[in-house]
Amino acid sequence: MEETKLDPAWTQALASFDASLSAHGMAEKTRRAYGVDLGQLAQWATGRELKPLELGARDLRRYAAVLSEGGCSKTTVARKLAAIRSFYRALVERRELEANPADLVASPKRDSYLPRVLKPGEVAELLQRIPASTPLELRDRAMFELAYAAGLRAEEIVNIDLTDLDADDEELRVEGKGGRTRIVPAGEHAWRAIESYLDRGRTALVSENGSGIEPALFISKTGRRLSTSDVRRRLSVWTRRAAMASGVTPHTLRHSFATHLLEGGADLRAIQELLGHASISTTQTYTRIESKRLRKAYVHAHPRA
């Protein structure tokens, strides 16, 4: 969409909405995403000389159509409409509007999405292919052993501090989405890899850089906390070396963690807590994966399938 100078009414309304999100403790990353989505709506509306309180359901349907015609996926359009719904809900709560016009705009039905899952043997092969010789190899082995053992998001991996580890109970404290903290266990393989990294890897990286003040568990060759892009890049390196198909990400390890737990008989509520999902509906994605596997087994095994 062509850049247009926003109408002052939009500028003020967006600033008020962002302040409201901040006051309610919403993470900065999420607020930025809302700002981008609503900023695009504001651009489109300003180009048509429509102020925030003047947009109706018909206008929003037209805007959704513009997004679709512009190449946005159903998921993207649904996300943007969710942001718009939240924006107008805030205006209703402040009594600037009587009703939310976005409530009358149906979101497109999202494409069914089943995340990629590695087989247990594939995960083991990937992790075993990471050597344990150099400090960076020790770090990567520990990092991805822990990612799979505890089902961590990339952001959670890089945010782990040394003080979050409880080696005695083989648990760690994880800061998840929305500031939710959870305590998760990690298995013997992960803890052995972490101990090796702390003894021979992290110590070397710290001494090489002459500083021991970085609290992060996983640090770079310059002694700094890793970024999520560092984690994805390093996993991509080891995936290629293991001659696996491309597209394995930290989230693939997380999905595999959850699916393997479900296949092993773990309760869905327990998996929800381990993953740090706010809603059980998010965790139920994995029941679809399991159902797909069971249907395949049925078709192959049942004489009258």
Side-chain angles (χ1 to χ4, degrees):
M1 296 180 190
E2 189 177 327
E3 284 289 323
T4 306
K5 185 178 180 181
L6 291 186
D7 184 291
W10 275 106
T11 303
Q12 182 178 348
L14 294 181
S16 296
F17 181 61
D18 183 68
S20 171
L21 295 180
S22 179
H24 283 84
M26 181 172 283
E28 183 181 349
K29 185 177 178 181
T30 308
R31 281 170 38 220
R32 282 203 304 269
Y34 271 65
V36 170
D37 288 341
L38 293 169
Q40 290 173 349
L41 171 66
Q43 286 280 339
W44 180 84
T46 295
R48 285 151 187 80
E49 299 184 353
L50 291 168
K51 299 181 188 299
L53 303 184
E54 296 172 348
L55 278 183
R58 181 179 294 180
D59 300 308
L60 294 177
R61 288 192 198 99
R62 189 175 299 125
Y63 176 66
V66 168
L67 292 174
S68 296
E69 291 163 6
C72 289
S73 68
K74 293 178 181 179
T75 300
T76 299
V77 174
R79 189 199 73 229
K80 290 179 184 296
L81 286 174
I84 293 168
R85 229 169 262 122
S86 296
F87 170 71
Y88 277 103
R89 189 181 307 123
L91 291 178
V92 171
E93 288 171 356
R94 292 203 300 268
R95 299 185 179 180
E96 295 183 40
L97 278 176
E98 288 187 6
N100 187 337
D103 284 344
L104 300 176
V105 183
S107 292
K109 188 174 180 181
R110 302 187 188 199
D111 297 324
S112 178
Y113 168 68
L114 292 178
R116 180 180 179 183
V117 175
L118 300 178
K119 296 176 182 177
E122 291 177 316
V123 176
E125 173 73 11
L126 171 62
L127 295 174
Q128 288 164 9
R129 284 296 187 98
I130 305 176
S133 303
T134 69
L136 294 182
E137 289 171 350
L138 287 162
R139 179 202 65 191
D140 289 356
R141 179 69 175 266
M143 185 161 61
F144 297 125
E145 284 277 10
L146 184 59
Y148 171 65
L152 303 179
R153 302 177 176 95
E155 192 167 3
E156 293 170 346
I157 295 169
V158 301
N159 284 339
I160 296 171
D161 289 339
L162 293 169
T163 53
D164 292 326
L165 303 179
D166 184 349
D168 291 336
D169 290 332
E170 295 189 343
E171 295 177 337
L172 64 150
R173 183 174 60 247
V174 179
E175 291 290 333
K177 281 187 175 180
R180 292 186 296 273
T181 302
R182 66 188 190 277
I183 303 297
V184 294
E188 184 180 343
H189 289 285
W191 282 104
R192 278 208 307 264
I194 290 171
E195 288 169 1
S196 296
Y197 163 61
L198 291 176
D199 290 343
R200 299 185 286 120
R202 192 180 187 284
T203 304
L205 292 173
V206 167
S207 63
E208 285 175 11
N209 292 282
S211 173
I213 60 172
E214 175 57 66
L217 171 61
F218 297 115
I219 59 176
S220 69
K221 60 184 177 182
T222 59
R224 304 286 185 180
R225 187 185 296 272
L226 295 178
S227 67
T228 54
S229 60
D230 291 329
V231 176
R232 295 187 182 93
R233 180 174 51 81
R234 294 303 296 169
L235 183 55
S236 179
V237 168
W238 296 118
T239 299
R240 287 198 303 272
R241 293 192 186 180
M244 297 179 69
S246 61
V248 176
T249 67
H251 229 61
T252 305
L253 296 180
R254 178 172 160 87
H255 288 314
S256 302
F257 160 86
T259 304
H260 297 164
L261 282 176
L262 187 64
E263 290 175 347
D267 176 77
L268 201 62
R269 286 286 180 187
I271 297 173
Q272 177 192 358
E273 290 186 31
L274 290 168
L275 290 172
H277 285 160
S279 169
I280 190 69
S281 62
T282 308
T283 317
Q284 283 170 339
T285 298
Y286 299 101
T287 63
R288 302 213 314 274
I289 298 171
E290 178 68 353
S291 295
K292 186 178 179 182
R293 184 186 69 82
L294 292 175
R295 280 197 302 272
K296 187 175 180 181
Y298 173 82
V299 168
H300 280 85
H302 198 285
R304 295 179 74 82

